[in-house]
Amino acid sequence: MSTTPPAPSDSSTPSNSNPSKTTTAGTLLPNDTFPFPREFFFPPFFTCQTNLTTHHAQLTKWSSLLLAYCRHHRLFRLSLNPDALPFHNPRINRRLAPGDIRRVVDFLRKDGRAEYVLPLGQTRKDGTMTTTARGGGEAGEGGEAFIYWRTPEEWGSLIEAWVEETGQRGSVLTVYELREGEGTRGTEIWGMDGDVLVKALGTVVKRGKAQIFQSGEDSLGVKFF
Amino acid sequence: MFLKNLDLTTALRPSYLPDEDLLFVQDNVGLYEGKYKLPNQQNGQVYLTSHRICYVDKTEPRKYSAALDLKDIERYEFYAGFLKSSPKITLVPKANKRASLQPLRNGNASPAQRVDSPFRAPPVDTPPASSATWVCTICSFSNPVPSNFDPTTASEHTTLPPCLACGIKPTLTHILKATISNATSRQPGGGPAIYPPLPDRSKQGSESTAPAAQTSPSPFQAADASASFQCPRCTFLNHPSLMSCEMCGGPLISNDLPAELMQQRRETDSPGPVLSSLAPKSEALESVKISFRGGGEKIFYERLKGSMTQRKWLLQGAPPIPKTSSNGLGVGSGSGGGAGGGGVGSAGGQPERVKIAGIAGLEQRGQSMRKNNEIVIGNAFEDLEALMASAKDIVALAETFARQVKGAGGASSGSENALLAESASQLGLIATKDIVGSGGGGDSLYLSELARTLAEFLTDDARGVLRKAGGIISLVDLWAMFNRLRGGVELVSPADFEKAVNLWDKLGLPVRLRTFKSGVKVVQGRDRTDETTIRALLAWMQDLHNFPPDREVAWDWREFGRGVTARDAAERFGWSIGVAEEELEMAEERGVLCREEGIEGLKFWENFIDTGEGASRTHSVKEDNERLMKALKESGFL
């Protein structure tokens, strides 16, 4: 679901023996543009620590790493695959174990910055069936998670601001239009993940500034007040 | 008695002379000089060795410990105790020891205090040969005072002959008075006066009227002029430097007796008079008594008897016992006269040896040496007592063997052989249950002695046990090593060992026991703490930043250094693997190290994960909140 990043990509040196270019924020790996922080190259970073203080620090750093990574690549969902970036560092050949990945995601959930992605057709805790891939509380092996480097509330406020700017208050828009329409091209809303967008609109609805309705199969419309 | 100062080891036990064997230990003893308790030496342990009797004080061992050579003892007496007074052993010194007096305690002597106890014996070289007679109180028959009766050393335990007519034994005071009057009537002028130990001591020896007797002469002091000293009893004007009155023989108290000392004597709350202070004593040496408040006097007496008869201290400078050859030449190396019989050269002291040159000579020498070894070993091992006695020879033998084996074998077995060789010499100096008396509280004494032996064993620089183990050794290893050293004699059970080890803190010894979080117990020197260990670890890991690892590693070693396994730490510091693991985990708990579990196992790194940024992170969140509030306020929303 990720699109090409707006920033131009840098070229990085392909050699592995010498450390590649180090920006002020971190080190670049080949095939990636995200500047990884120093700890990412520290092998113990990938082992769950037993000392509680250290463990807390470890979780904190992992959380900020994931958020930054997703923000940089505009990833709305992250596959919790231990063999891929960012849970795997090819240069030092260390990876985070699935249990530890889950621990990090749980840590993010406490902050409200992540949610697991339940696959379609599963029963949620409250008994309802998942019709769309909405976030929930459980995840299977190597599932996915929404990483909210911007929370749905923030997205909602962003969308509202745009609606205000373009003077479309009172008009009806489809969700598709928001995502792929011409109006939003150039803003951050363009190319958003559908589920996240719907969630964001949900928060606006909660605040009473919009309303969502079904317009045709599989398409949703929203009206801003 | 000539009480000398005593050298103590680190574990506060007396340090032994070469060849000195420990025979007996007893705690809860006090020392007396003459009749007086030595004020600071009333609670301690007494060690009887083959050369000395050592007293180690419990409260301040380094200050108040004393020793006494067995060769200075002329005779010893046993008093079995009665009612409140505990059993005592009296040691009477040899009379003609005229060496200058040494103070019992360092630095406490103040020469300004010239206190003269009224009961101090005068300088006498020989007891006066008295032809005194004493009149029996019952039948008024005049009996001769026995010629060996010496009023200076007579005590309540001296045997007195009964009256020849009626058979009743007189009191000591009576005979003393008789001898005094006899002496004074014999020598009207100067001459050594004789002191009776004056006051009426009851035979039970509980009460002391010494303070009472002392205070009585004091009022007379004031009346003394500086030119002459008035005797308190007969008011005769004596020369001020005299210690006893010329007329009546009564004691003279010196002019400057400070009043506090009178108080001091009265304040003693235990039976028996107490010696109050230091003084340049007169040259007659008082007998020393050891009071056994915790039992053990009988065994002490037996062993003292044994060691006095054996007189081991004479052996110290003695030439080695010549091996008896078939010729039966006299003992001693002085016999240079006789020619050694046909080629049997002994390894001992005979200076004459028929030299046979060539291989035959070498062979014969080897043969004779072997024969001697055989004789020595045979004699020694027949009897355990004899073994202890001939320990010196056995040790020499063991050392020669060890040297031979060491030369042949590799270097690794050298240390083991050294241990084996030394084990023989330890036979005499270990604290066994046998040596320590079985009096009351014997178990605790055994344990405290064991604890001290262990501490000495650990801190012994020659052996370097603690040093070789990197300064820290696990309790189990120590127990194994210690028992191996005992060589199968008097092994220590783990329970006793643990109890002894727990006493270390209480006794104030320089090693301590430390229990890790996982329950592993280790022994280390007192000065090693967690902080010092952590500092050492960090310093080492910092060094790893500077030296590249042996093989190519994927991470930036310049920045992060290298992970260390428990094995690396053990190698570097000389610890055992278990100890190294525990130390690393302890450092991890402190947050100094962090762990990494990889294919190669568990490694520890410097903690670059938690570098204190957690605190700053919360701070930055707070800052964001504040900024938000400020912005809202400005734009008028709040």
Side-chain angles (χ1 to χ4, degrees):
Chain A
M1 290 272 190
S2 62
T3 56
T4 56
S9 56
D10 293 324
S11 62
S12 53
T13 55
S15 70
N16 259 350
S17 52
N18 303 326
S20 53
K21 284 193 294 198
T22 317
T23 63
T24 47
T27 317
L28 296 172
L29 281 177
N31 312 325
D32 202 298
T33 57
F34 175 67
F36 285 96
R38 189 177 80 135
E39 287 86 27
F40 195 64
F41 297 93
F42 187 47
F45 197 52
F46 292 82
T47 311
C48 181
Q49 297 295 315
T50 43
N51 182 334
L52 288 176
T53 326
T54 321
H55 184 57
H56 183 82
Q58 188 186 26
L59 287 174
T60 317
K61 291 207 174 145
W62 265 113
S63 325
S64 36
L65 171 68
L66 288 183
L67 287 174
Y69 183 77
C70 294
R71 179 179 292 129
H72 178 94
H73 288 291
R74 263 182 77 89
L75 289 174
F76 291 90
R77 300 171 193 231
L78 189 59
S79 154
L80 307 175
N81 181 9
D83 289 324
L85 283 169
F87 301 112
H88 166 71
N89 186 339
R91 190 184 298 168
I92 59 171
N93 195 20
R94 296 279 193 275
R95 33 180 83 78
L96 202 57
D100 298 331
I101 295 178
R102 210 162 304 141
R103 253 180 272 231
V104 177
V105 174
D106 285 337
F107 190 73
L108 278 170
R109 273 178 62 209
K110 272 199 216 99
D111 268 346
R113 292 259 170 208
E115 274 184 43
Y116 283 105
V117 177
L118 280 180
L120 287 169
Q122 278 201 347
T123 321
R124 261 188 245 125
K125 275 206 190 89
D126 49 14
T128 54
M129 287 277 281
T130 53
T131 46
T132 56
R134 294 200 153 252
E138 310 288 326
E141 274 297 336
E144 287 189 327
F146 290 114
I147 306 287
Y148 298 136
W149 41 274
R150 195 177 267 150
T151 61
E153 287 80 13
E154 288 163 6
W155 282 117
S157 338
L158 203 72
I159 295 170
E160 232 195 304
W162 174 77
V163 163
E164 185 68 37
E165 260 182 45
T166 54
Q168 295 189 321
R169 240 177 230 292
S171 60
V172 177
L173 299 160
T174 61
V175 168
Y176 177 78
E177 212 181 331
L178 280 174
R179 268 175 50 200
E180 315 259 334
E182 290 300 323
T184 52
R185 194 180 281 275
T187 65
E188 293 218 18
I189 307 169
W190 198 91
M192 253 180 85
D193 184 273
D195 297 310
V196 180
L197 183 57
V198 169
K199 269 200 245 238
L201 292 171
T203 61
V204 184
V205 167
K206 250 190 233 125
R207 272 187 286 139
K209 299 295 182 81
Q211 197 188 353
I212 297 186
F213 46 89
Q214 193 94 8
S215 72
E217 326 86 33
D218 271 354
S219 80
L220 293 164
V222 60
K223 180 176 177 185
F224 290 90
F225 303 127
Chain B
M1 194 58 127
F2 209 12
L3 280 168
K4 296 193 194 124
N5 214 5
L6 179 60
D7 279 328
L8 296 176
T9 64
T10 49
L12 306 174
R13 286 163 94 226
S15 68
Y16 299 117
L17 309 166
D19 288 346
E20 192 173 1
D21 295 323
L22 177 65
L23 298 174
F24 189 63
V25 183
Q26 179 60 38
D27 64 349
N28 230 335
V29 298
L31 284 189
Y32 287 65
E33 165 141 350
K35 288 200 321 290
Y36 297 97
K37 294 186 172 190
L38 295 168
N40 294 311
Q41 296 178 320
Q42 286 306 308
N43 186 8
Q45 295 182 333
V46 67
Y47 293 77
L48 172 68
T49 71
S50 53
H51 295 70
R52 296 182 292 178
I53 296 178
C54 307
Y55 168 84
V56 176
D57 191 52
K58 199 169 263 199
T59 43
E60 284 201 56
R62 300 246 174 227
K63 246 165 112 184
Y64 292 129
S65 304
L68 160 51
D69 282 327
L70 287 182
K71 61 177 182 263
D72 289 339
I73 298 180
E74 170 159 345
R75 63 169 192 279
Y76 43 92
E77 289 160 3
F78 180 79
Y79 167 64
F82 186 77
L83 291 183
K84 263 190 4 181
S85 87
S86 28
K88 296 181 181 52
I89 288 188
T90 312
L91 307 163
V92 180
K94 290 205 176 130
N96 45 5
K97 285 283 173 196
R98 297 278 247 129
S100 64
L101 290 159
Q102 257 185 352
L104 280 182
R105 307 160 201 105
N106 306 326
N108 275 5
S110 59
Q113 270 184 337
R114 266 192 59 235
V115 176
D116 203 357
S117 154
F119 303 101
R120 192 63 43 80
V124 274
D125 287 327
T126 53
S130 70
S131 54
T133 57
W134 58 277
V135 178
C136 173
T137 43
I138 306 208
C139 62
S140 60
F141 182 70
S142 102
N143 302 282
V145 173
S147 50
N148 64 345
F149 185 77
D150 181 8
T152 56
T153 56
S155 67
E156 48 200 54
H157 312 305
T158 322
T159 48
L160 303 164
C163 167
L164 292 169
C166 59
I168 308 290
K169 281 205 189 126
T171 60
L172 183 68
T173 48
H174 190 71
I175 298 212
L176 287 168
K177 278 193 202 136
T179 39
I180 291 163
S181 45
N182 183 46
T184 49
S185 60
R186 264 192 300 118
Q187 300 151 16
I194 299 168
Y195 280 154
L198 263 185
D200 42 322
R201 256 176 303 117
S202 58
K203 286 264 167 160
Q204 289 145 22
S206 48
E207 277 313 304
S208 152
T209 52
Q214 274 207 342
T215 47
S216 54
S218 60
F220 295 99
Q221 278 176 48
D224 292 335
S226 52
S228 59
F229 194 77
Q230 187 183 49
C231 169
R233 285 202 310 187
C234 61
T235 68
F236 177 72
L237 292 172
N238 296 290
H239 190 267
S241 58
L242 277 180
M243 293 216 270
S244 62
C245 174
E246 291 183 62
M247 278 294 128
C248 67
L252 296 181
I253 303 177
S254 111
N255 285 350
D256 39 343
L257 173 67
E260 306 88 53
L261 282 162
M262 308 301 258
Q263 304 293 4
Q264 229 180 5
R265 291 206 197 186
R266 244 172 279 134
E267 275 163 26
T268 56
D269 47 335
S270 46
V274 180
L275 195 65
S276 56
S277 78
L278 200 33
K281 290 185 253 200
S282 51
E283 294 192 23
L285 303 162
E286 282 283 341
S287 59
V288 168
K289 280 197 235 192
I290 307 174
S291 158
F292 292 85
R293 306 210 178 96
E297 69 282 359
K298 290 211 177 58
I299 311 178
F300 189 93
Y301 188 62
E302 295 300 316
R303 303 251 171 124
L304 179 61
K305 242 202 290 191
S307 65
M308 290 290 282
T309 48
Q310 279 186 353
R311 279 188 258 189
K312 282 244 180 89
W313 57 86
L314 292 177
L315 285 181
Q316 225 175 348
I321 302 169
K323 313 288 182 265
T324 53
S325 63
S326 50
N327 293 1
L329 283 174
V331 283
S333 55
S335 58
V344 182
S346 46
Q350 292 178 8
E352 295 285 343
R353 205 190 301 182
V354 178
K355 292 200 175 71
I356 301 182
I359 310 249
L362 288 171
E363 274 183 4
Q364 261 175 358
R365 208 178 306 162
Q367 218 175 22
S368 64
M369 260 188 1
R370 270 194 288 278
K371 210 190 279 186
N372 279 329
N373 287 346
E374 202 184 306
I375 295 173
V376 166
I377 292 178
N379 286 343
F381 286 109
E382 263 170 28
D383 183 8
L384 194 61
E385 299 284 328
L387 174 63
M388 308 266 284
S390 57
K392 192 171 159 197
D393 293 330
I394 294 290
V395 167
L397 249 185
E399 274 173 2
T400 48
F401 286 147
R403 248 178 281 130
Q404 287 173 359
V405 174
K406 197 181 188 177
S412 56
S413 58
S415 60
E416 318 233 304
N417 288 332
L419 278 177
L420 281 172
E422 288 181 60
S423 64
S425 66
Q426 293 300 308
L427 274 175
L429 298 176
I430 48 179
T432 63
K433 279 210 161 92
D434 187 47
I435 284 181
V436 171
S438 54
D443 205 31
S444 71
L445 178 61
Y446 168 63
L447 287 177
S448 67
E449 282 300 303
L450 185 61
R452 288 185 209 269
T453 315
L454 274 174
E456 278 171 16
F457 170 66
L458 279 171
T459 54
D460 184 11
D461 280 330
R463 245 194 276 264
V465 166
L466 213 51
R467 198 173 18 100
K468 274 192 216 143
I472 177 169
I473 183 172
S474 80
L475 198 64
V476 184
D477 288 341
L478 179 63
W479 178 74
M481 212 185 293
F482 191 69
N483 270 338
R484 237 177 270 143
L485 216 74
R486 293 239 172 162
V489 179
E490 286 281 345
L491 299 175
V492 179
S493 74
D496 281 344
F497 196 79
E498 186 157 355
K499 277 188 228 152
V501 163
N502 284 331
L503 283 176
W504 272 339
D505 259 336
K506 203 166 58 131
L507 294 173
L509 293 171
V511 287
R512 67 182 183 98
L513 178 72
R514 176 173 156 210
T515 311
F516 281 112
K517 178 175 61 120
S518 58
V520 169
K521 294 197 184 167
V522 292
V523 168
Q524 59 187 43
R526 192 176 264 267
D527 45 358
R528 284 175 63 101
T529 56
D530 286 348
E531 279 73 25
T532 51
T533 316
I534 288 179
R535 242 181 284 143
L537 274 172
L538 274 181
W540 172 49
M541 296 189 75
Q542 281 291 324
D543 274 343
L544 293 176
H545 282 240
N546 303 326
F547 299 105
D550 301 326
R551 48 188 173 82
E552 270 296 318
V553 285
W555 63 88
D556 186 3
W557 52 264
R558 260 181 291 263
E559 198 175 351
F560 294 126
R562 169 164 88 75
V564 291
T565 56
R567 224 178 109 229
D568 296 336
E571 240 180 82
R572 161 84 173 81
F573 289 101
W575 298 331
S576 67
I577 304 260
V579 166
E581 274 175 13
E582 295 292 334
E583 295 282 14
L584 288 172
E585 271 173 28
M586 184 271 297
E588 189 196 2
E589 245 174 82
R590 298 281 181 112
V592 168
L593 297 181
C594 61
R595 66 165 61 194
E596 181 221 344
E597 268 163 56
I599 355 165
E600 296 170 352
L602 182 60
K603 287 195 186 175
F604 288 90
W605 298 66
E606 281 172 77
N607 194 350
F608 286 111
I609 297 179
D610 182 12
T611 46
E613 288 160 0
S616 60
R617 181 173 172 264
T618 49
H619 185 66
S620 69
V621 164
K622 246 191 266 168
E623 267 185 41
D624 287 342
N625 278 344
E626 280 176 29
R627 246 183 281 133
L628 191 62
M629 299 291 281
K630 210 163 107 188
L632 284 171
K633 265 201 210 118
E634 280 174 17
S635 54
F637 276 108
L638 274 180

